Amino acid sequence: MKIAVIHGPNLRSLGKREPEVYGTDTLEDINDHLQKMANELGVEITVFQSNHEGELIDYIERMAPEVEGFLINPGAYTHTSIALRDAFVGVERSFVEVHLSNTTARERFRRHSYLAPVAAGMVYGFGLHSYLLGLQGLVAKLQQ
Ligand code: DQA
């Protein structure tokens, strides 16, 4: 089974970006932990990061035929992007939405996700563990 992991805008600067909110783990740390968990679960992952909405959509379209599902932290596009939601619906692949922070406990504009209603599940508030729990949940769901 192959899963595509997507990191949205501004996540490349994790580690130094608002550490009091997002913690001190870097994107590389997160990817390393995901790779270890993927090995344990016996699945293949491929990782992509972009700060650009169109590139994220192109990636979803390009990878959909090759993967069973997606794990995504859409960053701020969570709260703004109908286009990303439409991309997932269009390719008919399960995806799990993850967030490092507890977005519901923050500013009002972060409480709404355009993606959540069409996601297989969501995990938020656990830092890098949101990704690991999200990957476990997605794989379990796909194996059902
Ligand atoms: C985030 C939450 C978003 O609201 C924010 O724009 C991010 C990071 C998170 O992982 O907590 O960039 O997706």
Side-chain angles (χ1 to χ4, degrees):
M1 181 186 298
K2 189 168 169 182
I3 307 288
V5 177
I6 303 179
H7 304 287
N10 298 309
L11 297 171
R12 209 180 296 166
S13 22
L14 284 178
K16 50 185 192 295
R17 173 190 176 203
E18 297 179 81
E20 66 290 355
V21 179
Y22 299 118
T24 51
D25 291 311
T26 64
L27 197 60
E28 204 176 27
D29 295 333
I30 291 172
N31 290 337
D32 286 348
H33 279 83
L34 276 172
Q35 188 54 64
K36 276 187 202 124
M37 168 134 298
N39 294 346
E40 280 166 29
L41 295 170
V43 300
E44 191 185 335
I45 59 167
T46 176
V47 179
F48 179 73
Q49 191 278 332
S50 175
N51 293 329
H52 304 276
E53 191 175 17
E55 281 184 6
L56 295 169
I57 293 166
D58 287 346
Y59 183 76
I60 292 165
E61 282 180 356
R62 191 166 69 247
M63 293 308 291
E66 286 181 40
V67 301
E68 273 70 32
F70 292 88
L71 182 74
I72 182 166
N73 182 346
Y77 288 140
T78 307
H79 320 297
T80 63
S81 183
I82 299 170
L84 260 185
R85 172 192 171 130
D86 285 351
F88 280 119
V89 172
V91 298
E92 299 181 335
R93 286 287 176 281
S94 292
F95 73 94
V96 167
E97 175 183 333
V98 302
H99 296 284
L100 296 147
S101 64
N102 177 357
T103 47
T104 64
R106 298 180 61 198
E107 300 95 329
R108 180 173 282 275
F109 62 81
R110 291 188 206 277
R111 289 187 203 155
H112 177 257
S113 165
Y114 278 105
L115 303 179
V118 293
M122 291 180 67
V123 188
Y124 49 84
F126 297 105
L128 91 81
H129 297 282
S130 293
Y131 285 87
L132 302 179
L133 293 166
L135 181 62
Q136 277 179 293
L138 177 62
V139 170
K141 218 161 190 176
L142 291 170
Q143 283 173 341
Q144 261 168 25

